[in-house]
Amino acid sequence: MTDEPNPLGAYVRARREQVTPEEAGITPVGTRRVPGLRREEVAMLAGISADYYLRLEQGRDRNPSVQVLESLARVLRLDAAATAHLLRLGTPRPSRRPARSGPRPVPAGIAQLVTTLALPAVVEDRAFGVLAVNPLATALSPRLVAGANRLWDLFRDPAEQDLYPDWETATEGAVAVFRESADTDDPRTRDLIGQLLRASPRFGRLWARHDVRTCEGAPVRFAHPQVGELVLHREKLDIGGTDGQVLLVYHPVPGTDSADKLALLASIARTPADAGRRT
């Protein structure tokens, strides 16, 4: 199911199932038939009634106070990003915006910047759809082309999976960031989620966890078929005035083996026309 009718209830239920009694300071007694905490335990620790908490999970009460949400975040051991997500789910939302016929165009200045960068660079939307890319990014991964979707390729393209030696870690992070950034009111995003749920059991397991993470700069390890293993730092920069477009740039630590390998990849990626201008 891609358009959850009760996102707040689904979220707190998924998160309580991942907190052990020991983590919550409770001594388990007897046989437990559910993973994680029981509803009444969450209610007790959050200082609310068990009946009220049940109404939240079942969607019969969808407007809890900020104080209740913050208490639940504490009990469920949510970090800052997950707490912000919980607060958004518990806040009444305005009416849905009219669906767009397609993604907004990339600003002309950003599109030009991408082509001039001497590093792999990609512009993507909230749902990881690739909007613009330079040749070095495509040389890093041939799946990085305008119109592709990074999340789909990560789960469904064997060559893309082989590119990531730490594929399981990469998928965990990608789904958590996707849940935080994607607009699930967008029909195209809901369609992508539905397709991934049908096509990838691993995506389904990760999506059911309701993990949330903000995207921060981090090293990414690649196993490139042409230049071998290299580590590049990925930076994700918001593009103002674009309703969620971001610029991804991959860069090596100067003077490292990875920097040399990226330079080699850049030389391999040069077009014949580029080579001709250098003669």
Side-chain angles (χ1 to χ4, degrees), residues 133-172:
V133 62
N134 65 9
L136 187 50
T138 304
L140 182 64
S141 169
R143 276 69 59 189
L144 285 176
V145 293
N149 184 277
R150 283 202 308 119
L151 195 66
W152 177 265
D153 290 334
L154 186 61
F155 280 95
R156 295 300 300 154
D157 192 298
E160 187 72 3
Q161 295 171 11
D162 290 343
L163 189 63
Y164 293 89
D166 307 311
W167 181 76
E168 291 195 354
T169 300
T171 54
E172 289 176 3

Side-chain angles (χ1 to χ4, degrees), residues 49-225:
S49 73
D51 179 67
Y52 180 60
Y53 178 78
L54 177 61
R55 295 203 307 272
L56 288 178
E57 273 206 9
Q58 293 180 341
R60 292 186 286 126
D61 190 318
R62 304 195 182 198
N63 296 293
S65 68
V66 172
Q67 291 79 7
V68 167
L69 293 172
E70 289 178 341
S71 294
L72 290 173
R74 172 181 52 78
V75 173
L76 299 175
R77 302 172 64 85
L78 303 184
D79 62 15
T83 298
H85 183 69
L86 176 65
L87 291 172
R88 285 195 298 271
L89 292 178
T91 302
R93 304 178 71 179
S95 300
R96 283 183 179 176
R97 296 165 291 176
R100 301 186 186 279
S101 58
R104 284 185 176 182
V106 176
I110 296 295
Q112 182 179 14
L113 173 64
V114 168
T115 64
T116 60
L117 286 174
L119 295 166
V122 182
V123 177
E124 69 178 24
D125 60 21
R126 291 182 182 274
F128 291 18
V130 178
L131 305 178
V133 62
N134 65 9
L136 187 50
T138 304
L140 182 64
S141 169
R143 276 69 59 189
L144 285 176
V145 293
N149 184 277
R150 283 202 308 119
L151 195 66
W152 177 265
D153 290 334
L154 186 61
F155 280 95
R156 295 300 300 154
D157 192 298
E160 187 72 3
Q161 295 171 11
D162 290 343
L163 189 63
Y164 293 89
D166 307 311
W167 181 76
E168 291 195 354
T169 300
T171 54
E172 289 176 3
V175 172
V177 172
F178 175 73
R179 184 177 281 279
E180 195 279 335
S181 66
D183 178 7
T184 53
D185 283 343
D186 177 11
R188 291 175 294 115
T189 300
R190 294 202 306 273
D191 183 59
L192 171 65
I193 296 169
Q195 291 184 50
L196 282 166
L197 287 172
R198 291 187 293 271
S200 172
R202 177 161 178 77
F203 176 83
R205 290 191 296 271
L206 293 174
W207 188 248
R209 286 177 55 87
H210 287 253
D211 290 336
V212 175
R213 187 182 306 173
T214 56
C215 186
E216 301 176 350
V220 181
R221 191 161 64 106
F222 296 94
H224 198 276

